[in-house]
Amino acid sequence: MTALRGLLSHPRFYSVVAELDGKVVGSNFLDERSAIAGIGPITVAPGVQDSGIGRQLMIDVMRRAERQGFPGVRLLQAAYHNRSLSLYAKLGFQIREPVLNMQGEPVGGTLPGYVVRPATFNDLDECNRVCRDVHGHDRAGEVGDALARGAAQVVEHDGRITGYTTGVGFFAHSVAETDDGLLALIAAATEFSGPGFLLPARNGHLVQWCLNHGLRIRMVTTLMTIGLYNEPSGAYLPSILY
């Protein structure tokens, strides 16, 4: 509930609700802070699922993204939920890759040659550069929010910024040029906010490292996109909002 209140009060989140007989029975959000929009979380009350409400909530935010001119939209879908997977595919979303929700106690430690420190607003341009190099676009709005609340960190290697995080957790994202840079950010985290963090299953090196350090896989999600998508050329942790 705290997370949803934050989304409802944020000026760069579009929100929509579904009502039935005067009661709210569903909601959906569109994260409009960066170049690529992120959908979710979407909720539908148990008693009215499979009634078309979820579809209408999705169509509403997709139309909003189109009106706002976003070149691409992304979401993370709970892999066990076959109905939502089918719905999103019917609406035109393409399946990109499985993403693991990792959970456990912070690992602690450092990686030789890598320095993790709090980010400042002076680092914003470099953070945007790293994100553009990896994803083809930046996430300046999200990074700016994390800087304002003191949650952002950067990792430096050979005297230059090679990655950053807005907080290692469910509603935050991280980007690095290499696996080692991302590993340094995870190792330096003092907490994993929310129910853990999200790690692309393709990154076998980091998946194995996390499991060997006591973390466990809580659930599997599916990254799905519509419109512009660039295959990542580095290491990253998405947020549940993407």
Side-chain angles (χ1 to χ4, degrees):
M1 289 300 293
T2 300
L4 293 184
R5 290 192 189 97
L7 303 188
L8 288 167
S9 63
H10 198 292
R12 296 188 66 186
F13 275 85
Y14 171 76
S15 57
V16 59
V17 298
E19 293 184 340
L20 183 64
D21 297 330
K23 295 182 179 180
V24 173
V25 293
S27 63
N28 203 1
F29 296 87
L30 186 71
D31 185 349
E32 302 180 342
R33 292 177 292 174
S34 299
I36 302 297
I39 291 180
I42 183 171
T43 60
V44 179
V48 294
Q49 291 179 0
D50 300 322
S51 64
I53 290 175
R55 181 183 182 88
Q56 293 305 310
L57 290 168
M58 285 295 299
I59 290 173
D60 184 273
V61 297
M62 290 173 67
R63 287 176 175 168
R64 165 74 178 191
E66 184 177 1
R67 291 195 302 270
Q68 295 298 103
F70 285 102
V73 181
R74 305 180 183 192
L75 60 81
L76 282 170
Q77 177 265 350
Y80 70 86
H81 202 287
N82 296 332
R83 295 192 305 276
S84 67
L85 180 65
S86 298
L87 170 62
Y88 302 154
K90 287 179 182 178
L91 292 174
F93 283 86
Q94 295 186 49
I95 296 171
R96 295 300 181 181
E97 64 176 314
V99 177
L100 310 177
N101 177 199
M102 309 299 299
Q103 194 174 60
E105 295 299 319
V107 176
T110 59
L111 193 68
Y114 290 81
V115 177
V116 177
R117 63 166 175 82
T120 72
F121 279 96
N122 291 332
D123 299 318
L124 182 57
D125 287 346
E126 279 299 288
C127 291
N128 290 338
R129 176 195 59 78
V130 170
C131 194
R132 286 193 297 269
D133 287 347
V134 173
H135 287 300
H137 61 84
D138 64 52
R139 302 177 70 167
E142 297 163 73
V143 178
D145 280 355
L147 287 167
R149 64 176 186 271
Q153 292 186 306
V154 295
V155 58
E156 295 178 332
H157 180 60
D158 289 338
R160 55 186 289 272
I161 291 175
T162 61
Y164 74 87
T165 182
T166 60
V168 181
F170 214 57
F171 289 92
H173 76 275
S174 307
V175 186
E177 295 174 354
T178 64
D179 283 357
D180 282 347
L182 189 58
L183 191 155
L185 290 168
I186 296 172
T190 58
E191 65 172 352
F192 301 141
S193 58
F197 61 91
L198 296 156
L199 174 61
R202 72 163 82 187
N203 199 326
H205 172 215
L206 262 66
V207 171
Q208 184 178 32
W209 183 90
C210 288
L211 294 174
N212 287 339
H213 284 79
L215 302 182
R216 61 188 182 279
I217 299 171
R218 174 177 172 265
M219 68 173 180
V220 181
T221 65
T222 309
L223 173 62
M224 305 184 73
T225 74
I226 193 168
L228 179 65
Y229 175 77
N230 298 308
E231 192 69 21
S233 59
Y236 77 105
L237 306 178
S239 77
I240 195 63
L241 308 172
Y242 195 83

